Amino acid sequence: MSPIPFEHGLIVAGILFCLGIVGVLTRRNIVFVLMSLEVMLNACGLAFIVGAARWGNADGQVMFLMILTLAAAEVAVGLGLIIQIYRRFHTVDINVLSQMKG
Amino acid sequence: MLDLIWLLPTFPLLGFLILVLSSGQLSKKVVALVGAGSIGLSFLVAALIAVEFLNSGAEFYSMTAWTWMSVGQFTPGFTFYLDGLSLVMMLIITGVGFLIHLYSTGFMIDDPSYSRFFSYMNLFVASMLMLVLADNLVLLYLGWEGVGLCSYLLIGFWYDNPANGAAARKAFVVTRVGDTSMALGLFLLFAQLGTLNIQDLMGAAEANWTSGSGVAVAAALLLLGGAVGKSAQLPLQTWLPDAMAGPTPISALIHAATMVTAGVYLIARTHILFELAPTVQLLVAWIGLATLLMAGFTAMTQHDIKRILAYSTISQIGYMFLGLGVGAWSASVFHLMTHAFFKALLFLGAGTVILSLHHEHDIFKMGGKRKQLPVAFYSFLIGSLALAAFPFTSGFFSKDEILLGALALEGPGTWLWLGGVVGAFFTGIYSFRLVFVVFFGESQAHHDDKEVAGWNMAGPLFILMVLSLLGGFIHIPVESVFNHGEAHEEHHVSGLIHGIMIAVPLLGILVAYLFYGGRQLSADKLMANPLAAALHKFWFSHWGMDALYNTLFVRPFVYLAKLNRLDIIDQCYGLVVTLSRAGHGLLAKLQNGMLGWYAASLIFGLVLLMTLGVLL
Amino acid sequence: MTILFYLASAIAIISTLCVILQTNIVHALIYLILSLLAVAVIFYVLGAPFAAVLEAIVYAGAIMVLFLFVIMMLNMGQHTRDQEKSWLSARGWIAPGVMAGLLLVQLLSVFAQIDQDLSGQRIDVMAVSGLLFGPYVLAVELASILLLAGLVSAYHLAKK
């Protein structure tokens, strides 16, 4: 079994991250935006795991666990916010939700 | 006992603090007790100090309470300096001041701001005592500005009326012109002689400057500027008639007896400097003469009882300046004292008239009040006799000395004497015109008004009447202060001169009687002559001084202020504001509330940073 | 195993691409779960079985179920497709595409300079938990507080 090159793992993480960015920037539905954010977070976790595999070190996995925790908390709060927003404004279009403009 | 001199300004200052900090919560009785009592205590201390000082036979006594500030060699302190001159001033201020305070406890009793009135009065007395007891010019300047402030506050005491506020501002601004000149004088003296202690300064000036040298002339001129501002002399006299907007006891205390004579005190205090600058000293005499004549003419034409007295004050201070100018120092200080007595008496009498007649000021609406207002009548009679220098009243002795001093001067002395005598003639006319119009003849109005004069108002009037009559026999102990320059020999002049000086005021009184008492001559007929009417109008406006200053100074200044209404300097700072507002507007556009836009900017910044990282 | 890595990577990338292109939100969510499971496979291949299991349970399981609930509550699905389509204009793709492309090119150019191999060594649960309850115990506590705060705020926010 030939070893997997380190950079390939990172490239996969990078591609996923960039796809997440495109999703965040193009979608107007706030649920899609949140999903794209999950993709980006997941890509970060992947990069950590790849790093852990490179050095044979468990610290990368610990960091992945932290990211996982963060993602869980973020999704919980974010979805709660989405529900509240939908109740108030009856829309999920982020371009309509621009009350915070200066 | 002498080391208690620091108590003098402290009592009124404490009174001021109590009254100010209680902010009108005290009852009127307590206010009167604190207000008048503090001055009474001061007078008591002053009297004890005076007795001890005179018995000790010392020339001066000086006491440092504490050092005010210390900058290098310059250490002005709260140092009190007592000699004959400051002794006289101190007794006048506390004595006459106490009588006026006592009078005010009755006069102001119906005023809602009773406590505020006495707090200002006490602060004034404290500042004035500081002024006359100061041993250095810095402390003197502190008192000088302090009395200016109190004068401003008290002229504008009834601030509900905008006219009173305007009068207060006028007084403040006009005296400020003089004060600025005086401050420049202090700078010059300090720069040249390195000290501001008055006695050291006089010694150093005498040692270092020759008579008539440029520096001495400049310093004396600058100090004279301060003196004419404070003492309402030509050309800064226009504020005093308007200052009558204040309550009448204020006019008696500040604008007749004490503060306006501060200029006379300053010149007497620094007389050595003026002797070093003979041209300036002569200028003082001419200023005094011009002022006394101008004010005398104006006083004859006025209707307002207080304005007549105001112009008469200007005129009498003119006599003091005349005396200073001819080197009759002690005669001037003597006249200062007698003037404090009889002018305070006249003003307090006028206060009684005004209060009894419900704030009537126009003398032609009074008339025949002799029986109705007996206390005021005798006050006015005695005060006017003294003012007109009726023989053996106090004013007679002091004015006599000044005129004889003028006559003794070589050169222009005769002319100055002649001017002074003409002034005395007018003094007789205007003072008795007032008496005849107000107290004789037919009653015009206010028939039923009773005289308002409780013991606390009548008492001070009686004491002042006695002082005005007999004040001429008081001997003021100022020889040791002025022995330096004054000729001591008795003035030997012919009986003719004496006769003229006695007769001229009597002649003035006679003219006043013919016009206003017996009505053998009619002022109205005189007015029918267009020339006389024009002259009357001209004099009534005080020789057009106010109009002149309006055209010369006030209007151009207001015009310039209008030109610079937007404030050019401020516009520069306004530019900064405009720019930052514009920048803020631009940045605020970025804050458009679009989530996608924010995320895009975030990513854009990330890309930019990454690009930099990769390229570099 | 190497082939499995590349295969799983391809599935992850393609399914993620589908997520961002999908107009039907339920389909997009299914693609996302697929992508996350593919990443879990990658984890396993890279010798992190614990992470792979957690990825499957927490991400693909719990979190995605949350999403599903919300989508149901908001009543999205088939009938919101047209709206989603109208929101996705061709012009809207240009700027994000360019920026993401640039970023990717930069990342690739950086990664290309690396010439190292992965160790392929298995790191099992023991090693990870030893670290978690050893040096990182404070971080674990903080993470638990974060979760608690998330729980409380989510409950509060979603209240009527």
Side-chain angles (χ1 to χ4, degrees), chain B residues 11-263:
Chain B
F11 279 130
L13 202 60
L14 274 179
F16 162 71
L17 287 177
I18 291 171
L19 293 175
V20 154
L21 295 180
S22 67
S23 63
Q25 300 294 312
L26 299 174
S27 74
K28 289 196 172 175
K29 268 195 181 144
V30 180
V31 169
L33 196 69
V34 172
S38 61
I39 313 295
L41 279 175
S42 266
F43 176 62
L44 213 64
V45 174
L48 290 172
I49 287 175
V51 168
E52 181 163 335
F53 179 76
L54 292 176
N55 284 338
S56 73
E59 280 205 359
F60 68 91
Y61 171 79
S62 129
M63 179 224 159
T64 304
W66 74 87
T67 305
W68 184 1
M69 54 180 124
S70 180
V71 185
Q73 297 296 307
F74 178 60
T75 52
F78 279 88
T79 305
F80 301 113
Y81 180 87
L82 184 68
D83 62 0
L85 178 60
S86 41
L87 185 85
V88 172
M89 293 300 290
M90 159 183 109
L91 286 174
I92 294 173
I93 293 160
T94 52
V96 177
F98 173 63
L99 292 177
I100 294 173
H101 272 75
L102 194 60
Y103 178 90
S104 307
T105 58
F107 185 86
M108 298 296 289
I109 195 74
D110 290 328
D111 200 284
S113 305
Y114 200 61
S115 159
R116 183 162 62 92
F117 178 80
F118 278 100
S119 65
Y120 291 165
M121 290 275 272
N122 279 4
L123 181 62
F124 169 79
V125 173
S127 308
M128 191 72 204
L129 284 169
M130 206 90 90
L131 196 167
V132 296
L133 290 174
D135 104 309
N136 58 69
L137 285 173
V138 184
L139 189 58
L140 186 146
Y141 197 73
L142 176 73
W144 188 272
E145 292 299 326
V147 294
L149 170 70
C150 293
S151 164
Y152 166 77
L153 291 173
L154 285 163
I155 295 169
F157 183 73
W158 289 314
Y159 55 81
D160 295 348
N161 184 350
N164 294 349
R169 275 200 302 284
K170 184 175 177 186
F172 198 72
V173 171
V174 174
T175 48
R176 203 67 30 220
V177 176
D179 292 356
T180 308
S181 148
M182 179 171 161
L184 291 176
L186 298 198
F187 300 154
L188 179 67
L189 284 172
F190 185 73
Q192 291 290 325
L193 300 173
T195 176
L196 282 176
N197 181 299
I198 298 171
Q199 305 307 318
D200 296 351
L201 202 60
M202 292 303 119
E206 222 169 13
N208 297 333
W209 294 345
T210 53
S211 177
S213 67
V215 189
V217 169
L221 263 180
L222 287 169
L223 288 189
L224 175 63
V228 295
K230 208 59 150 188
S231 290
Q233 297 295 295
L234 203 71
L236 296 178
Q237 82 280 42
T238 53
W239 64 270
L240 190 59
D242 289 324
M244 295 300 126
T248 312
I250 298 309
S251 314
L253 178 64
I254 300 185
H255 304 122
T258 53
M259 186 192 85
V260 287
T261 56

Side-chain angles (χ1 to χ4, degrees), chain A residues 21 25 94-95 97-98 100-102, chain B residues 591-596 599-600:
Chain A
I21 287 180
L25 294 186
I94 54 167
N95 286 3
L97 301 170
S98 59
M100 297 283 277
K101 63 168 168 265
Chain B
Q591 185 93 10
N592 57 3
M594 308 285 269
L595 207 57

Side-chain angles (χ1 to χ4, degrees), chain C residues 1-154:
Chain C
M1 290 294 261
T2 317
I3 300 165
L4 196 56
F5 171 79
Y6 288 111
L7 196 64
S9 300
I11 293 172
I13 292 170
I14 291 167
S15 58
T16 308
L17 202 62
C18 290
V19 171
I20 60 171
L21 292 173
Q22 237 341 301
T23 49
N24 187 325
I25 191 160
V26 183
H27 291 183
L29 195 66
I30 303 294
Y31 277 119
L32 183 56
I33 293 174
L34 183 60
S35 156
L36 293 172
L37 288 175
V39 172
V41 169
I42 296 176
F43 287 174
Y44 187 79
V45 171
L46 292 181
F50 183 50
V53 170
L54 281 182
E55 171 94 4
I57 297 174
V58 178
Y59 249 127
I63 296 179
M64 288 309 123
V65 168
L66 257 184
F67 267 102
L68 206 60
F69 274 134
V70 171
I71 289 166
M72 279 160 57
M73 280 178 75
L74 302 186
N75 202 13
M76 290 172 171
Q78 194 66 39
H79 67 281
T80 50
R81 279 188 65 180
D82 303 335
Q83 190 188 26
E84 288 293 330
K85 248 183 201 154
S86 68
W87 282 352
L88 285 177
S89 63
R91 278 179 62 227
W93 287 92
I94 297 171
V98 169
M99 279 200 289
L102 261 176
L103 196 63
L104 190 60
V105 168
Q106 284 159 356
L107 288 174
L108 289 178
S109 70
V110 173
F111 295 156
Q113 292 160 14
I114 305 171
D115 189 23
Q116 286 168 335
D117 288 336
L118 295 173
S119 68
Q121 190 188 345
R122 258 176 83 93
I123 302 162
D124 53 8
V125 188
M126 280 283 281
V128 178
S129 47
L131 274 180
L132 274 179
F133 294 102
Y136 286 108
V137 69
L138 190 66
V140 173
E141 289 301 324
L142 286 174
S144 68
I145 291 177
L146 177 68
L147 281 175
L148 182 64
L151 175 72
V152 172
S153 53

Side-chain angles (χ1 to χ4, degrees), chain A residues 4 53 63 66-67 73 78 81 93 96 101:
Chain A
I4 305 158
M63 208 47 71
M66 295 299 147
I67 291 176
L81 278 170
D93 185 355
V96 177
K101 63 168 168 265

